[in-house]
Amino acid sequence: LVAGCSGGLHVPSDGVIDEPRAAREQARRAAGRGAVFRWGHRVTRLLTRAGAVTGVRTDRGDIAADRVVCAAGVATPEICDTAGIRVPVLPMPAMLLTSGPDAGGAPRDPVLWHEESGLAVWTTAGGAAGVSTVPGDDRWAVACGLYPGLRDLPPPNSRIVPSARTAGDFPLLGETTAVRGLWLAASVWAVHSVGAAQLLTEWMLDGEPSLTLFECSLNRFIDVQRDPEYTRSRTSGTFVRTHGVVSPVKDDTDTSALRVSPFYPRQREL
């Protein structure tokens, strides 16, 4: 182990996926079961009537539907806002660094996650390496310090990848109470997408999922927790906390200025 690392935990059952390949395979199987993909259609608003969804409006015309699943990633709040629903989701930037040939290949060795540095490092069979981390100018140097073999590779290419994160770490899955027939699938990692889709399908067809999903419900957020300021302050730390051991009930966000009585403005004046 390199200096600064006194030990580690190996989890053989854990793993990673090739996200583009997984998405293509899911689309292929869905199409084989009758799903129709309308590529190049941009959804501009949700259509509702009498408290229920009736379809979506796109830049190529309206599409009628009595059930709509909003799985628009970072655009989820913007789309749901057209139906008057505030969704506490924000785009959080992640930095992806790749170096060497076959940079998009599958990992060869176990992925090294270093909690204190907030980065994950992996290598591929083709001799390339990848680093996923929070944005920063020194991220490659930090990774080289943990994984000395990276020093033999050429300078990496970098890009920022936004991901939709909630104010409560868990994703959003389920039907909204404000608009019947409108379902959410937000802040779902690609590696969890198949399971999330299965649970949502069970819920929509059978009336309940095979697992309890209360912690993924939009209804777990009270009104003040859907406030944009609360969402920004609360979500800003979720990227770093994702792989850490944290209390599920701990909330360091100060909401004192968001939850006030009608007398509060006069009290400030006095």
Side-chain angles (χ1 to χ4, degrees):
L1 295 173
V2 299
C5 289
S6 57
L9 175 65
H10 182 213
V11 186
S13 60
D14 204 356
V16 296
I17 65 171
D18 184 334
E19 296 183 4
R21 180 181 175 186
R24 289 193 297 269
E25 181 61 19
Q26 291 181 54
R28 185 187 68 81
R29 295 193 179 193
R33 288 168 171 77
V36 177
F37 291 88
R38 301 192 180 185
W39 307 110
H41 288 61
R42 180 177 179 272
V43 175
T44 59
R45 70 176 296 110
L46 296 168
L47 303 177
T48 62
R49 183 174 61 249
V53 71
T54 60
V56 296
R57 176 157 296 162
T58 78
D59 55 357
R60 300 189 182 186
D62 294 350
I63 300 175
D66 57 3
R67 291 183 181 179
V68 172
V69 178
C70 184
V74 297
T76 298
E78 178 183 356
I79 293 176
C80 289
D81 187 60
T82 64
I85 299 177
R86 289 197 300 182
V87 178
V89 168
L90 277 184
M92 297 300 295
M95 176 178 282
L96 180 62
L97 305 169
T98 55
S99 178
D102 187 33
R108 176 189 60 193
D109 301 318
V111 175
L112 170 65
W113 170 258
H114 193 260
E115 168 67 19
E116 293 182 1
S117 302
L119 55 78
V121 183
W122 65 91
T123 57
T124 71
V131 176
S132 177
T133 178
V134 293
D137 295 335
D138 64 339
R139 298 289 82 195
W140 185 254
V142 173
C144 289
L146 294 169
Y147 208 117
L150 299 179
R151 297 169 182 164
D152 299 329
L153 295 174
N157 297 314
S158 67
R159 61 190 176 99
I160 299 297
V161 182
S163 61
R165 309 306 298 269
T166 68
D169 296 342
F170 283 92
L172 291 176
L173 293 172
E175 186 178 17
T176 65
T177 56
V179 178
R180 298 188 308 276
L182 175 60
W183 295 72
L184 297 178
S187 192
V188 177
W189 287 33
V191 72
H192 303 147
S193 59
V194 173
Q198 178 179 340
L199 290 170
L200 207 60
T201 301
E202 293 172 353
W203 204 347
M204 296 173 71
L205 297 182
D206 302 332
E208 61 179 339
S210 54
L211 295 177
T212 301
L213 295 178
F214 172 77
E215 290 181 315
C216 299
S217 171
L218 175 64
N219 302 323
R220 73 184 190 267
F221 296 103
I222 61 177
D223 288 343
V224 69
Q225 291 174 323
R226 301 189 195 189
D227 183 90
E229 181 58 34
Y230 176 90
T231 303
R232 278 191 294 272
S233 58
R234 178 67 175 153
T235 307
S236 61
T238 58
F239 183 90
V240 179
R241 293 197 311 269
T242 298
H243 297 276
V245 179
V246 298
S247 167
V249 296
K250 182 179 180 181
D251 186 352
D252 296 326
T253 305
D254 182 10
T255 60
S256 59
L258 300 177
R259 309 176 70 173
V260 298
S261 71
F263 184 67
Y264 180 73
R266 180 56 178 162
Q267 183 181 23
R268 291 293 300 270
E269 294 176 1
L270 296 175

